[in-house]
Amino acid sequence: HRIPAAVELSYSFSNSHPNTHASMSWQSWVDNMLAYPGVNIAAIYGVDGSVWAKSPSCNPNPAEVTALIAGLGKSSAGEFTGFNFQGLRFMTIRLIDGEIDGRSGQSSLSAMKSSQCMVIGGYIDPADGSAPETAGSQKVNFAVAKVKEALANAGY
């Protein structure tokens, strides 16, 4: 499948991130999510499961991506109680309107679907358990929501 060309979008994450108005590649959106405190993996996938851009540390297998996209179509966490991502089993803690948040120990993951893509951001706890204070599902969710909102507003 053909990956759409990058689009010029306007975004602002918070007061700690300056407003930026620039033409960005898909990879730039992923890199921007990674700059947000508490996010150490990020990706954008087409709703068909194709990779538009991803961080080097984001390496789920295709079946995990397909299952997550399908889970985003469910209406409640009761219908989609958990999912696998990068070999970790995440418990669904929130699922509503094409947005899902999951937890696996200290790791957290948020995925949000727009009409053409799925935006994923997360914090995967290192094997040594040295999670920084900045890690947390609310921070991950906020970063993913900002990117998904900007892409959805641009028709993606």
Side-chain angles (χ1 to χ4, degrees), residues 2 21 39 43 45 53 59 63 74 78 80 87 92 105 115 124 127 151:
R2 193 174 147 268
H21 301 277
V39 178
Y45 290 90
N59 297 302
K74 304 293 183 187
F80 191 68
T92 300
S115 63
I124 302 299
L151 293 174

Side-chain angles (χ1 to χ4, degrees), residues 1 3 5 14-15 18 38 42 46-47 49 51 59 72 79 85 90 98 100 108-109 111 117 128-129 131 141 144:
H1 289 217
I3 297 171
S14 70
N15 291 337
V47 293
V51 178
N59 297 302
L72 286 167
E79 292 183 64
F85 194 83
F90 285 82
I100 189 169
S108 60
L109 190 85
C117 65
D128 65 8
N141 177 282
V144 173

Side-chain angles (χ1 to χ4, degrees), residues 45-51 54 58-70 84-87 118 120:
Y45 290 90
V47 293
D48 62 356
S50 61
V51 178
K54 68 178 194 68
C58 187
N59 297 302
N61 69 50
E64 292 173 333
V65 172
T66 301
L68 192 52
I69 291 168
N84 294 321
F85 194 83
Q86 293 195 176
M118 173 177 65
I120 297 174

Side-chain angles (χ1 to χ4, degrees), residues 18-42:
N19 287 342
T20 303
H21 301 277
S23 178
M24 296 178 65
S25 70
W26 296 117
Q27 191 61 47
S28 296
W29 287 99
V30 167
D31 294 344
N32 197 5
M33 275 192 288
L34 291 172
Y36 201 82
V39 178
N40 67 1
I41 64 164

Side-chain angles (χ1 to χ4, degrees), residues 104-115:
S104 178
Q106 293 298 311
S107 299
S108 60
L109 190 85
S110 287
M112 299 182 186
K113 186 176 165 232
S114 66
S115 63

Side-chain angles (χ1 to χ4, degrees), residues 71-72 74-77 92 94-101 111-112:
L72 286 167
K74 304 293 183 187
S75 60
S76 73
T92 300
R94 186 181 72 87
L95 173 60
I96 188 168
D97 297 329
E99 300 180 5
I100 189 169
D101 293 316
M112 299 182 186

